[in-house]
Structure formats: C-alpha cells, structure tokens
Amino acid sequence: MTDEELKKTQDNYIGRKEDLVQSFDSPEINDKEKATTKEPVEETDGEETDRNETDNIEDVSGTFSSKGVVIPKFFVLGLLLFVVVLMGIWGLSKILGDSDAKLTMANEAIETLYLDNDQQYLKENITEEDFIYAQEVIDSLSSKNKTDYQIVYDKAHEKFKAITALADIFQTDSMLINGKNVKEVDSLLLQPSVTKSMVDEATAAIPADSSDALINDIQRYYTHASDVLIYAAEARSSFESLPTTISSRDDLLELINNIQAVELQLEDYKLQPQVQAVMSDLQTYANHVGDVITSEEQTNGEFDLAFWDEVGWTDTLVAYFSEQEDNVPKYIALTFDDGPNNEFTPQLLDILAKHDVKATFFVMGAYVDEYPEVARRIVNEGHMIGNHTYNHPDLSTLEAEDVLTQFLWTQESIEDVTGVWPTVYRLPFGAGGKRVIDIMDSMTSILWNIDSMDWHYHDTELTYNHIMANLQNDSLLLMHDTHQATPDVIDLLIPVLKDMGYQFVFADEVSFNLRYFAE
C-alpha cells in the first residue's frame, strides 16, 4: 500500500472512532445481542475493524451506561461531593461543638446526679443506673464539650462509689449519706472483717477537694474507721506485751496495773468488734491471772480484800471472780439529794419499803422546816439522813462563817423534827473543796462515784441505762428526789441490782474515800 493510501485509511479510522466516542450503541441492542452478535469484518487495504470494539467504548466525557440506562456523570460526581460534604460537616461538629439540644440534655443529665447548684451533694436515692444514663449522654458530645462534662461526672461518680463503699466498712442497713442526710459517725460499728488496708485503699479513691462539703463528710467516716483500727491495733500491741508468767506477789501487782492500763486503753471504743476481740483475749488472760491468785500456791492469805484495796479491781478480774464461788462483794449506796418534798420523797419511801432496801437522804434545812412529817418518816423507816445545807448555796463562794451557818441551821432543823443529829453531809454541786472539809471537820463529807444524771435526763430509760453502764463494785449513787424519773428508776433498778449480787448499804459504808473534788 502506498503512503497516500495508508494515510487515507488512518484518517478514515480516526473519523469513525471519533463518531463512536461521541455516542454509545443504539439502546435497542440489548446486552445479550451485544455479547453474541458480530458484524462481518470489513477489510480495507489489509486493515481489520471489529464492530464489537467500538460497541464497548465508554464516553468518558459525558455519560455512564449500564444495561441501557444512561446516568450523567455530573450526577454521580455531585452525589459523591454531597456525601463528602456531609461527612465533613459531621466531623467538624465533633470538633467545634454540639447543638443546643445536646448541651441541654447533657446539663439535665448532670442535674440528675447533683442535689445543689454547687455540685457538692448527690441526689437522694441515686443509683448506678443514673450514672450509666448520664455517661451515655456525655459520650454523644463532641470532644471539646465532652471533656468538661466528663470532669464533673467523674467527680460525682467517685463520690458515689466512696459512699456506697462505706457499707463494706461499717455495719449499716441503709446508705450512710443520702442527699444531705448524713448519719452520725461516732455511733457506727465497723464490720468485723474490715482492715486498715481496706480503709486506706477506699480513702485514696476519695476526690481531693477540701472545699467540697460532701467530700468532707465522706472523709470523716473513713478517718473514724482508720482511728478505730489504729486504736485497736495499739491496744492489741499493749495486750501482747503483758508477761506470760507470774513468779511473785510484786509481779502480780505490776501485772494487775498493766491489765488496768489495757482496759483503760480499750474503753473509748469498747463496742467496736476489733476492740472487743482484744477484750475477749484480755479476759482469757485475766482468767489465767485469777487462777493463779486463787491457787493454793499463791494464796496463803496474801490476796484478801486489803490486797485488792491496794491495787484496785480490774473489770476483767471482776468478771472472773464473779463466776467463782467466793464472789467479790459488791456494795451500793442509794443517795437522794435536795429533799424532802411531798410529791417524790414519799414515793421513794414506799418503793424502798416494798423492796426492803435502806438509803441515804441528804436533805435541805429549809425543806425540813417546810415538810417536817416527811423528814420524820425518813428517819422512822430506818433510812440515814444527812445534811445538804439550808438552801443549797455554792459553798465555794461563801465565807467560813456563812458555811458553818448553812450546816448548823440544817442540823438544828433535822434534830428538832427527827431527834437525830446527822454525822454526814454532802456539798451542794460538790463545790467547796478542801477548805469546806477543814471547816466541817467534825462531820464526814460524802461525795459520789456514779452520777445518775437524773437531773439532766428527767427520763426513766436514759437514767436507768446510764446507771447500769457505770456500776462499780463499790457504787455510791447520786440521785435527786425532785422529779418523777427518780422513783420510777429506783423501782426498776433495785431488783436488777439484787440479782447481780449487790448489797445495799448507807453512804458511809461504801469503800470510797474521796471527800472533796479539786477546785
């Protein structure tokens, strides 16, 4: 083929290709026909053209076609651009911020956790489900806002966990802190199994913010628990340092003093289970000491009551000997101040007669003059009568002559009515000190080692419980026949004391030698 013929053929091919590029095959031709139908090959000067080649060419500049459907390319590109823009807007919102609706939901979620605008106390009866919901709302926020809300949430959740963890530390059947209702910590008992490491670990999880009232309330619980456990550990250490052998009377004297020291150490938290565990071991130890004291090798007359007056009884040794055949004797003197009167003193006399018990009445001269028949009945029924001044002044404020007058007038009033000249007296308010004792050296001052607090409580149950909690082997009980709680308590108390082995004596028969309080 000549050069001229070759050029003509190429130009013809190029023209046909351009026509094909501008359009696809006729829509009447379906895919099956395209796949199976071929036109005869036309030869031009040795050059072949396959029609199928032109049928499959895509028009990249105008449209896309699939199964006869023509889709403009600009539509596809526009759709892609729309998706990209939406994703961009979504991503930008996560970075830049949230809608007002989302922020409102987040604020409401936080409000479901806190009781106050200061975001200190948590809502009453709040639960873990409340925190789960709040966390879900916060998680939907953008990174910028989520950080701020998460900080507030985390602090609330840490407080909540610290409050709920208190149930593992203290014996309780309800939340110790519920809203602003905070139970008194000093009356709570620890769980028997709680340890110092448990408390320390829980304490470390409490948020650090001394300006937060709730955090301070929570901290008080854990501080109290830690104090109790430290106290119990120190008492345990003191107990374990006690000697294991007793070889002489001097050893025993020192040992009893050491037991007393441990008992005093246990006194403040004696109801706590960790402290009671030490007390139980101490009682076992004291029982061993008691066995030594009562054994034939050690007695020989050395450990009589004079010995115990020298060293003093310990609670644990009292408990030991109270179970022995020869009980440690227990005495109590019931004493009543500030009478007589027509309302309460006769009730007391009736109750004492019913139980066949004698008591001591420290009367005021002015009331003896006003109620002579009651004063006379006190003496006639076998009770001791004592001098409590004429009108109950604070003797520490009086001159010596006036002190003498107060007692002398009362002595004369009592003798005129009853024929008895008292030998004992009691200082009003326990005041006056050694100066009054020296002035009144011809009589015996009688104080007390148990104040019933009847003058304070004016309540039968509270007064009774206070007396029972403070009983001693030699009890000199201060009461007042000036209100109804006193005769009511005495009627309850006497049968119980009898069952406990107490002997009822007069005020000057109790082994209690303190005659005045330091001024």
Side-chain angles (χ1 to χ4, degrees), residues 319-452:
Y320 168 82
F321 281 107
S322 66
E323 300 198 4
Q324 308 303 310
E325 252 184 33
D326 297 326
N327 274 350
V328 176
K330 291 182 286 189
Y331 302 101
I332 187 166
L334 306 178
T335 69
F336 305 99
D337 289 8
D338 299 349
N341 59 71
N342 270 341
E343 184 175 1
F344 305 112
T345 308
Q347 289 186 57
L348 278 171
L349 292 170
D350 290 344
I351 292 168
L352 292 169
K354 179 177 73 172
H355 295 291
D356 191 23
V357 166
K358 305 304 179 185
T360 303
F361 290 81
F362 289 100
V363 297
M364 294 165 54
Y367 289 148
V368 171
D369 292 342
E370 187 173 355
Y371 305 106
E373 68 286 352
V374 181
R376 192 176 298 112
R377 183 181 169 188
I378 290 172
V379 172
N380 290 344
E381 294 186 9
H383 302 288
M384 173 178 273
I385 195 166
N387 191 320
H388 198 40
T389 72
Y390 195 79
N391 56 9
H392 209 278
D394 181 345
L395 298 179
S396 65
T397 66
L398 300 185
E399 298 294 335
E401 182 179 352
D402 294 328
V403 170
L404 282 169
T405 298
Q406 282 285 332
F407 285 114
L408 181 59
W409 284 359
T410 304
Q411 291 287 96
E412 291 173 348
S413 294
I414 293 172
E415 185 180 37
D416 288 345
V417 169
T418 68
V420 173
W421 186 266
T423 60
V424 296
Y425 68 93
R426 175 167 282 166
L427 303 168
F429 313 108
K434 187 175 185 302
R435 181 181 74 98
V436 173
I437 304 304
D438 292 340
I439 294 171
M440 300 298 300
D441 58 355
S442 62
M443 300 177 69
T444 301
S445 169
I446 302 292
L447 293 179
W448 60 88
N449 57 14
I450 303 177
D451 183 350
S452 69

Side-chain angles (χ1 to χ4, degrees), residues 11 21 45 77 83 90-91 100 120 167 193 262 286 294 307 344 423 442:
D11 291 340
V21 169
D45 295 330
L77 293 175
V83 172
W90 178 81
D100 290 342
Q120 295 193 21
S193 59
V262 176
T294 56
F307 167 80
F344 305 112
T423 60
S442 62

Side-chain angles (χ1 to χ4, degrees), residues 252-278:
L252 185 59
L253 288 171
E254 181 180 359
L255 176 59
I256 292 173
N257 288 330
N258 290 336
I259 291 176
Q260 288 175 321
V262 176
E263 288 178 351
L264 290 173
Q265 200 172 0
L266 295 169
E267 182 65 27
D268 288 345
Y269 295 116
K270 61 185 178 182
L271 297 180
Q272 292 291 348
Q274 290 78 6
V275 175
Q276 286 194 333
V278 181

Side-chain angles (χ1 to χ4, degrees), residues 479-510:
M479 301 192 79
H480 302 79
D481 51 336
T482 55
H483 43 77
Q484 187 59 49
T486 300
D488 292 343
V489 168
I490 289 299
D491 202 17
L492 290 173
L493 189 65
I494 290 175
V496 174
L497 293 176
K498 285 184 174 181
D499 288 343
M500 294 173 67
Y502 275 92
Q503 300 176 45
F504 294 85
V505 296
F506 291 131
D508 59 349
E509 296 178 306
V510 176

Side-chain angles (χ1 to χ4, degrees), residues 19-256:
D19 291 339
L20 290 171
V21 169
Q22 292 176 4
S23 63
F24 286 101
D25 294 332
S26 172
E28 287 91 21
I29 302 175
N30 57 42
D31 291 341
K32 184 175 181 182
E33 290 171 332
K34 287 183 180 181
T36 60
T37 305
K38 290 188 177 180
E39 294 183 0
V41 177
E42 177 180 325
E43 296 185 5
T44 306
D45 295 330
E47 183 176 340
E48 294 182 354
T49 302
D50 189 338
R51 185 174 296 272
N52 283 334
E53 180 180 356
T54 62
D55 290 343
N56 292 327
I57 295 176
E58 293 182 352
D59 183 353
V60 296
S61 64
T63 62
F64 291 105
S65 175
S66 177
K67 294 185 180 180
V69 179
V70 178
I71 304 175
K73 182 183 177 188
F74 71 84
F75 178 79
V76 176
L77 293 175
L79 182 61
L80 290 173
L81 181 60
F82 178 72
V83 172
V84 170
V85 170
L86 284 180
M87 292 181 66
I89 293 173
W90 178 81
L92 194 61
S93 69
K94 295 298 287 182
I95 297 173
L96 297 180
D98 302 289
S99 67
D100 290 342
K102 273 194 174 183
L103 292 177
T104 298
M105 285 184 64
N107 286 327
E108 290 175 349
I110 293 298
E111 288 176 1
T112 64
L113 305 180
Y114 282 106
L115 184 65
D116 49 22
N117 293 330
D118 294 335
Q119 294 182 340
Q120 295 193 21
Y121 285 91
L122 303 181
K123 281 281 182 69
E124 291 185 8
N125 304 317
I126 194 170
T127 66
E128 183 64 34
E129 285 71 23
D130 296 317
F131 285 94
I132 292 173
Y133 166 75
Q135 184 65 72
E136 290 173 350
V137 174
I138 293 171
D139 286 342
S140 71
L141 297 177
S142 64
S143 300
K144 176 180 179 298
N145 288 323
K146 180 179 178 180
T147 300
D148 296 336
Y149 283 93
Q150 192 68 51
I151 291 172
V152 178
Y153 169 91
D154 287 343
K155 187 174 182 180
H157 202 204
E158 287 169 355
K159 292 179 184 179
F160 176 75
K161 289 189 288 186
I163 291 172
T164 54
L166 290 172
D168 297 326
I169 305 298
F170 293 96
Q171 299 180 36
T172 178
D173 54 2
S174 61
M175 290 185 68
L176 297 179
I177 300 178
N178 189 16
K180 288 189 176 182
N181 299 317
V182 182
K183 290 188 177 180
E184 180 60 44
V185 63
D186 292 339
S187 61
L188 295 174
L189 298 180
L190 271 60
Q191 296 281 10
S193 59
V194 71
T195 63
K196 184 67 164 56
S197 61
M198 290 171 58
V199 174
D200 290 344
E201 182 178 349
T203 302
I206 302 173
D209 186 354
S210 59
S211 64
D212 190 301
L214 177 54
I215 290 176
N216 290 333
D217 287 337
I218 295 171
Q219 187 67 57
R220 275 194 291 273
Y221 283 98
Y222 288 103
T223 298
H224 177 69
S226 180
D227 289 345
V228 170
L229 293 170
I230 291 172
Y231 181 91
E234 290 174 349
R236 169 70 62 186
S237 177
S238 297
F239 163 70
E240 291 176 350
S241 68
L242 294 174
T244 57
T245 59
I246 304 170
S247 57
S248 68
R249 190 176 191 272
D250 290 339
D251 288 344
L252 185 59
L253 288 171
E254 181 180 359
L255 176 59
I256 292 173

